[in-house]
Amino acid sequence: MTSFPPLPWLRPPERSPVPPDPRDVRIADLLQTDPAGAHVAVIGIPFDTAVIGRRGAREAPAAIRRALYRMAAFDLESGVDLAEGLRLVDLGDVAVVHTDIHETHRRVTAVLREVTRQGLRSLVLGGDHSLSYAILRGVIEGLGKPLGVIQFDAHHDLREPLEGEITSGTPFRRLLEEGLIEGRHLVQIGLLGGRNSRAYYEVARWHGIRMIPATHVHREDPEVLTAQVLKVVTAGTLGFFISFDMDVFEAACAPGVSAPSPGGLLPASALALVRRLAAHPACWGMDLMETAPPLDPDGRTVALAAAVAWAFLIGRGMVGMK
Amino acid sequence: MTSFPPLPWLRPPERSPVPPDPRDVRIADLLQTDPAGAHVAVIGIPFDTAVIGRRGAREAPAAIRRALYRMAAFDLESGVDLAEGLRLVDLGDVAVVHTDIHETHRRVTAVLREVTRQGLRSLVLGGDHSLSYAILRGVIEGLGKPLGVIQFDAHHDLREPLEGEITSGTPFRRLLEEGLIEGRHLVQIGLLGGRNSRAYYEVARWHGIRMIPATHVHREDPEVLTAQVLKVVTAGTLGFFISFDMDVFEAACAPGVSAPSPGGLLPASALALVRRLAAHPACWGMDLMETAPPLDPDGRTVALAAAVAWAFLIGRGMVGMK
Amino acid sequence: MTSFPPLPWLRPPERSPVPPDPRDVRIADLLQTDPAGAHVAVIGIPFDTAVIGRRGAREAPAAIRRALYRMAAFDLESGVDLAEGLRLVDLGDVAVVHTDIHETHRRVTAVLREVTRQGLRSLVLGGDHSLSYAILRGVIEGLGKPLGVIQFDAHHDLREPLEGEITSGTPFRRLLEEGLIEGRHLVQIGLLGGRNSRAYYEVARWHGIRMIPATHVHREDPEVLTAQVLKVVTAGTLGFFISFDMDVFEAACAPGVSAPSPGGLLPASALALVRRLAAHPACWGMDLMETAPPLDPDGRTVALAAAVAWAFLIGRGMVGMK
Amino acid sequence: MTSFPPLPWLRPPERSPVPPDPRDVRIADLLQTDPAGAHVAVIGIPFDTAVIGRRGAREAPAAIRRALYRMAAFDLESGVDLAEGLRLVDLGDVAVVHTDIHETHRRVTAVLREVTRQGLRSLVLGGDHSLSYAILRGVIEGLGKPLGVIQFDAHHDLREPLEGEITSGTPFRRLLEEGLIEGRHLVQIGLLGGRNSRAYYEVARWHGIRMIPATHVHREDPEVLTAQVLKVVTAGTLGFFISFDMDVFEAACAPGVSAPSPGGLLPASALALVRRLAAHPACWGMDLMETAPPLDPDGRTVALAAAVAWAFLIGRGMVGMK
Amino acid sequence: MTSFPPLPWLRPPERSPVPPDPRDVRIADLLQTDPAGAHVAVIGIPFDTAVIGRRGAREAPAAIRRALYRMAAFDLESGVDLAEGLRLVDLGDVAVVHTDIHETHRRVTAVLREVTRQGLRSLVLGGDHSLSYAILRGVIEGLGKPLGVIQFDAHHDLREPLEGEITSGTPFRRLLEEGLIEGRHLVQIGLLGGRNSRAYYEVARWHGIRMIPATHVHREDPEVLTAQVLKVVTAGTLGFFISFDMDVFEAACAPGVSAPSPGGLLPASALALVRRLAAHPACWGMDLMETAPPLDPDGRTVALAAAVAWAFLIGRGMVGMK
Amino acid sequence: MTSFPPLPWLRPPERSPVPPDPRDVRIADLLQTDPAGAHVAVIGIPFDTAVIGRRGAREAPAAIRRALYRMAAFDLESGVDLAEGLRLVDLGDVAVVHTDIHETHRRVTAVLREVTRQGLRSLVLGGDHSLSYAILRGVIEGLGKPLGVIQFDAHHDLREPLEGEITSGTPFRRLLEEGLIEGRHLVQIGLLGGRNSRAYYEVARWHGIRMIPATHVHREDPEVLTAQVLKVVTAGTLGFFISFDMDVFEAACAPGVSAPSPGGLLPASALALVRRLAAHPACWGMDLMETAPPLDPDGRTVALAAAVAWAFLIGRGMVGMK
Ligand SMILES: [Ca+2]
Ligand SMILES: [Ca+2]
Ligand SMILES: [Ca+2]
Ligand SMILES: [Ca+2]
Ligand SMILES: [Ca+2]
Ligand SMILES: [Ca+2]
Ligand SMILES: [Ca+2]
Ligand SMILES: [Ca+2]
Ligand SMILES: [Ca+2]
Ligand SMILES: [Ca+2]
Ligand SMILES: [Ca+2]
Ligand SMILES: [Ca+2]
């Protein structure tokens, strides 16, 4: 059997069930292999060792990529067509050490520092929220400070490590205490009553953090809100970064997180905010944390996380591709 | 054993667990057996062969009927009591051929043409969205043209058949290209960014379709929106039809569809729009497509589809029973 | 619009998705409307007020009927074709009073007494297991005593009412203490260690009940087991009745019960036993209790309950139609 | 082995996975053991015999307690810190009789009467909505009348007992007909069209009940709405009580109820209303009914119920601790 | 930014969460790109248009590949190490036309004919069971006849097309009536009573098909059973093919099929049979049909299907690599 | 309000829905507070940092305790009544450090060493399987060696740490390489083909581990199997320990584990083995690992794990309470 004859009617496996439509330009089609000249770098961090409650976020980077790369590169509302200029590169996943938070954090910081130094904006797919300490540290080491931070979260994440354990509840406390960021450059959006202790609220107040409860987002005009937030994070800073904890959403819309939150943000509202904020020239990236696919049997939370990532990319497209 | 004695304490099987309350007038109680003189005809199309993704919509007509017929015939908000005059007939299901889309479409068109010719308004329970091509063609053959169309959908559905395959993504393209409808009489409500390619957006623009993204519905006053939509579909038309794709809803509220959409419409908002639109005298019916019971383990999507159908009937009641 | 023209291509609603095959003879086709001359009477009892734990069994009669009536009337293994002679009647549901166990039990007893007096064998679809007190009492009042009883159950159900509350854990204690049945005519099959207190085991021993743990069924030859069971329930009795609690099954196979039981019987094994036992001429019927559809999202337990009911009917067919 | 040596590294079982943070003050920390001097008494009623449809509410008190007691005692939006003064006592569960609605109601009434007489405000965790008859009767017997009532519900619950069966659809009819409350002091919020018969709407109108459909809540300013509601229930009354049926929520947010309601209230909106209403000095308590944990596999509905209870407590904190 | 510096700590995306272990040889590692010289060809058919009930099998080829290729290439029980000689090629998916069963069948037949002509054994991942008509036709056209067939199935699949519709219930009837196979060379294993009409049982008997009910598999020694089956399918044939319908499994073990079957085969038992049968030199391949990932939320059925495919490969390994 | 009057009809919260039956003796009733004189010590390890795949096992100790303590103290099959003599103490949970595997392992070893030294047999509720390294090390430090080990597992768990990461796949490799146990004293029961690489099979062979594939358990007589296993682990040892990985069960019966295994052991069979093995005087305890409650929505796996723990206790009861 030296030469095998051609076989009819076969296609590569795992294609979509209908023949792909050449007119569909998807996010996957924007990916270039060389980071040089790219505008935005996608970076995965499959790590969730620091989650206090139910874990699973280490499976998120793969899951969000699958959903995101299938989405269209076009936003019919704003008219932004990313195919007209957004250069996207996927740098892969950080090589984490599941049993060593400090080493993992060091690696994450090294990656973000280099990426930022090269002028790329980052779209980081986590991973647990403890990683935002390392992510923001890397951005600051690459860009300089002060850096503004917009944190979408039902929680302050201003806990102190207890008995030596860094958790997903501690990243912003560490950043503040180590002087990497200042409270007056930090906005926390989507905070929920009953989910945060007074002690940490007082920490936030003491540091001068701008707090915007979920209830304010529900009733506030999004343009006004955007302006308020941008003012805080751009005043006197070299740029800002968005840190997005998926538990900021209403529990029914994002059940696949460690601690779902009744009363959280509705998808349409948060998606619009992210797009507007990412459209600011000073936005240096976003991390998208705490999506837990094993806790998300029907894929709803992953699809929503992909939509948040997509809104970030559209925002970057609006700003004129950096 | 020639005569069997009467047995005590027995009721017909499958009744509700408590004795039925004679004061509950339900949609089922409006059903008359003779189509003559009816205002609205219910027609099922248990067919989903053309769905691109996850199927199941062929089980929807039976499931939606069960949920709809149990609902009250009264709307406490508007005060409309359908028992005071809406004459409803259930014509049953179209005899589909699961393995022959064209033949199925021919039969669907024949049914809608006759029903429309007899002056009945249609409430069509699909079935996949490819069927709306056949449904609208039938309405047009029965009523004449131009016909206005209000499409609730996260997607344009303006694809071309690829490799000869008609899909649930193609119905409105075919209607436009065959000259059955005109773009300027078509409104698409609930479109989502990231779910539609630029190529089809350009097709929509070229045809002059009025596009209303989901984000507009979220912030627009429903009365203003209703007026805008009605103006498009009634200007110079003989009437209009509503084509409702259940994936227009926020994914958390309608998980049982082929492709759930984070950021879609909220139930209360879409229900109010349907009621208002159906209340216009020129409304010739609605199709309700893409509910997939096998993908809806807790029945949430079916219950919501039934509420959409109910809102249509209340609208018809508001207009003075035709 | 005096006469309505015929409409093409329509069928009655809610038919199966493909045209029904006239060669399929189903259990539904055996149903006759007149109880006179019937061999087996189906009786539903949509009542679960006495369940101690998670409820839902009152929805079982409707659900089991739907699944059972769709099954084929033929058993390819034994060659029994019920269409050749089993006359089946569905007497409907007992008119229960959800808030009055005693009145409900009275009605159930009255129904079973009359049905048994007329010579019909009963297939009772419960309902909670407390009802077996009333069912067996009715059979005894209709047939006389002693009556043998085969109880499939992970539990003894020999509790005493506490603080005056009859529960699903009490039926066989009440039957024994009121002298309606005798322990030596009762077999309990499928009992599980760890799910029954010693106190009730001692009650069972004191009454001389024949106990067959689930582990014995797992390793015993089914023919030997059948012979052992039949010997107990036919020795000196006027007949026997099967009381089947669905929690006797391995939890993975019957999750939709009040208290699923790891280590319980496998479906194939229990189905074979029921068929063999029901094939005995002295079998006066079976009750099928504790299926809870709201706790059974994928319908697995309902399908299994229907298979148990079907095995009973095949058994009746084997005995020569009574 | 007379003396056992100390063992290292062990903690009491069932603690949280990370060492508890002493800075977290939770609702559990407010609980005092002595009812004397308490402001609010928590009372559970694990009873659901009167539910018409799917049951499970009798498991709610235990489940809601677990979720509520873990919530923070602080509301970052209002700045209310319950640790500064709300004295809370948990009186345990009423000793219900599952098979005797009337006896259970008598006991519930006795408990509420005494608790109210002692000046405590009640937070009642049901249980089915039939119990609100007994709860409100007890409050009235303890406080006197007239009493205002704010009912959050998708339904009127103005049915008459049929064939002698009290159900969860009857409580407010009985209260009105027995003269315990007057229609003009009753507000029903969240009513849905299609879920209520005209007959009961007419009963509501005849009694002068103030009806606020869900659609009004969706578009109304919450402050205006609060003022309107408070005016009705405080005009000429000795105080008012909130009766909260969890099926008032949008189905996606509260799937674990007997009959989920598409189009119902969104969590953020209802939580804000409850907090505002409970903050009125004349508010004598709230019952929280119809949460069914067995129908709530991911705990979403229980978490939302706990958030409603928490909003009530925060409201009580706002009023200056009674 | 002409040259981009190397980035530290990054890996390709979507790798497994721990660093891959070089000592793990997986099925994926056996795949060669050139079909020439391969022993077994994997072929996907993502098509389910002919399913009568709940669909979803067209998503199975991709899902089963993912699970299968991750499995180890070694069987510790038999000691077979596929890495020592099984040459595997994945030919991809047949280019199906979802809306044209006949054209799809033609393509499938063409693929199987060529693959068989080249001497490769096939592992076909369906797809609905109607395709087995086309698969077996292709094998026969490639190999010649008579061909033996071993059908694992709860059903006969001997229906006639009704109203011209080919369904997943018809493949073996068509093969018999067109003279492609003979009944005396066909074995049906796993048939269930109550799931098959007498009419089709009589067809099976008339054709001389060897029928082995599920109950026989439960109690028969697997070696004896294997010998009996092999005798039928090898006596006077040129070889045999296995057609495996996943609904042959006990419902609890394979819920993700169109019609789950209580009482079906247990995994361990069927896996052992497949391995033994595939180990016969005359086995020309297996199709693995009716797995429906959308109906399999926890992936249990897909994992079991992959185990069946794996058992087939091990069997091939046992036979000395063809 | 100086003295609060007694309140009627109240019970402590969170009791069972019916009044507790004083005749039910449950495992909880065996618990004594003082470890001195106890026979068996329950120890929880809420830690799952080393799991390679889906995590969740750190929630298992609390969940298994809840289910186990509710089970009856009596086994009707063997007649063993634990209330007649088994003295049980719950030592609580080991104070783990989620972010430090080595420190956690040190603490676990310290606990097990002391408990074993005091002569108590251990029932350890994990936790991930990496912990068995620490557990067995502790037992050996307390008891001396050689120690026999019976490992129920679908996998060898003989991996080497890669890139320095200890995982749940490594415990028995480390024990062997550090000379803590010898291969000839280790039995692995329930191994599955396709789930284990040849490389590790060869390691097992090289060490002389006795391997019993799942298929052998399916067909072997349990008494014979028990004898074979006991012979290996008692020959020349000071005692033996059972290490039970819940993924040894058939996937349908134990879906809530990191990697469910089609073809695994059936519950009845494994429960019988555990009871027999634990009944040997030389059995020094059992660990019960890898149950993941967040992956077990209906509690099936937790209930099965509790049944395994219960079987161990019954076994201990059979041996005459040590
Ligand atoms: Ca966070
Ligand atoms: Ca958070
Ligand atoms: Ca759509
Ligand atoms: Ca559409
Ligand atoms: Ca039972
Ligand atoms: Ca029972
Ligand atoms: Ca209510
Ligand atoms: Ca209600
Ligand atoms: Ca088949
Ligand atoms: Ca089949
Ligand atoms: Ca293991
Ligand atoms: Ca394992």
Side-chain angles (χ1 to χ4, degrees), chain C residues 63-294:
Chain C
I64 297 174
R65 274 186 182 103
R66 268 196 298 275
L68 172 63
Y69 289 167
R70 244 185 259 142
M71 291 183 77
F74 178 69
D75 176 32
L76 52 86
E77 189 175 7
S78 61
V80 170
D81 184 358
L82 299 180
E84 287 184 340
L86 188 83
R87 290 193 294 274
L88 192 65
V89 66
D90 188 330
L91 298 177
D93 287 344
V94 176
V96 304
V97 185
H98 291 293
T99 53
D100 190 338
I101 289 180
H102 292 288
E103 175 59 22
T104 299
H105 279 199
R106 269 190 294 275
R107 295 179 184 187
V108 168
T109 295
V111 168
L112 268 291
R113 180 177 54 230
E114 285 312 306
V115 168
T116 304
R117 263 191 199 151
Q118 299 304 325
L120 278 76
R121 312 298 163 109
S122 301
L123 172 57
V124 183
L125 309 176
D128 70 53
H129 216 170
S130 82
L131 296 162
S132 295
Y133 167 80
I135 292 164
L136 288 164
R137 181 181 191 117
V139 173
I140 290 161
E141 290 181 7
L143 180 70
K145 58 183 175 178
L147 182 76
V149 176
I150 303 166
Q151 177 191 356
F152 283 83
D153 206 330
H155 310 93
H156 292 298
D157 288 358
L158 292 170
R159 294 176 179 279
E160 287 177 289
L162 281 173
E163 300 190 10
E165 290 215 77
I166 290 172
T167 69
S168 52
T170 61
F172 298 94
R173 180 69 164 270
R174 296 174 69 209
L175 288 164
L176 289 163
E177 296 201 338
E178 298 182 12
L180 290 161
I181 62 174
E182 286 176 71
R184 66 193 164 105
H185 300 137
L186 172 58
V187 184
Q188 298 186 321
I189 309 179
L191 296 166
L192 283 175
R195 314 279 164 189
N196 292 282
S197 294
R198 179 176 189 165
Y200 301 112
Y201 170 79
E202 300 295 352
V203 171
R205 288 226 307 182
W206 192 88
H207 279 283
I209 295 169
R210 176 65 168 269
M211 293 177 275
I212 303 176
T215 46
H216 292 209
V217 181
H218 292 307
R219 63 175 177 251
E220 198 63 82
D221 178 87
E223 284 194 53
V224 173
L225 200 59
T226 305
Q228 290 171 340
V229 171
L230 286 174
K231 194 170 161 197
V232 173
V233 295
T234 58
T237 67
L238 298 178
F240 69 88
F241 199 88
I242 303 168
S243 183
F244 199 102
D245 183 335
M246 286 293 291
D247 73 13
V248 81
F249 282 111
E250 159 62 31
C253 302
V257 298
S258 183
S261 310
L265 305 191
L266 293 175
S269 159
L271 293 171
L273 280 174
V274 166
R275 198 184 55 184
R276 287 164 189 272
L277 296 169
H280 191 284
C283 176
W284 273 85
M286 178 173 78
D287 64 35
L288 183 51
M289 314 307 276
E290 296 286 346
T291 305

Side-chain angles (χ1 to χ4, degrees), chain C residues 1-81:
Chain C
M1 197 194 301
T2 44
S3 78
F4 203 85
L7 285 161
W9 297 122
L10 288 166
R11 298 178 186 169
E14 298 207 31
R15 293 260 300 274
S16 129
V18 283
D21 182 339
R23 305 183 74 180
D24 281 334
V25 181
R26 299 176 182 278
I27 300 295
D29 300 317
L30 308 178
L31 290 169
Q32 56 183 57
T33 48
D34 184 2
H39 301 114
V40 175
V42 175
I43 301 161
I45 317 182
F47 179 88
D48 60 10
T49 299
V51 171
I52 302 184
R54 305 184 307 162
R55 295 175 182 176
R58 74 174 156 191
E59 298 184 24
I64 297 174
R65 274 186 182 103
R66 268 196 298 275
L68 172 63
Y69 289 167
R70 244 185 259 142
M71 291 183 77
F74 178 69
D75 176 32
L76 52 86
E77 189 175 7
S78 61
V80 170
D81 184 358

Side-chain angles (χ1 to χ4, degrees), chain A residues 129 151 153 157 168 245:
Chain A
H129 216 172
Q151 177 191 357
D153 206 328
D157 287 358
S168 52
D245 182 336

Side-chain angles (χ1 to χ4, degrees), chain E residues 11 17-21 23-25 71-72 74-77 81 84 252-253 266-268 298 300 303-304 307 310, chain F residues 52 156 159-160 162-163 173 191-201 213 215-216 218-219 250 252 255 262-263 300:
Chain E
R11 297 179 184 169
V18 283
D21 183 339
R23 305 183 74 178
D24 281 334
V25 182
M71 290 183 77
F74 178 69
D75 177 32
L76 54 85
E77 190 176 6
D81 183 359
E84 287 184 341
C253 302
L266 293 175
D298 70 0
R300 183 183 312 168
L304 181 51
W310 178 87
Chain F
I52 302 184
H156 292 298
R159 294 177 179 278
E160 287 177 290
L162 282 172
E163 301 190 9
R173 179 69 165 269
L191 297 166
L192 282 175
R195 313 281 162 187
N196 292 283
S197 292
R198 179 178 189 165
Y200 300 112
Y201 170 78
T215 47
H216 292 209
H218 292 307
R219 63 176 177 250
E250 159 61 32
R300 185 183 311 170

Side-chain angles (χ1 to χ4, degrees), chain F residues 129 153-155 157 245 247:
Chain F
H129 216 172
D153 205 328
H155 310 94
D157 287 358
D245 183 334
D247 72 13

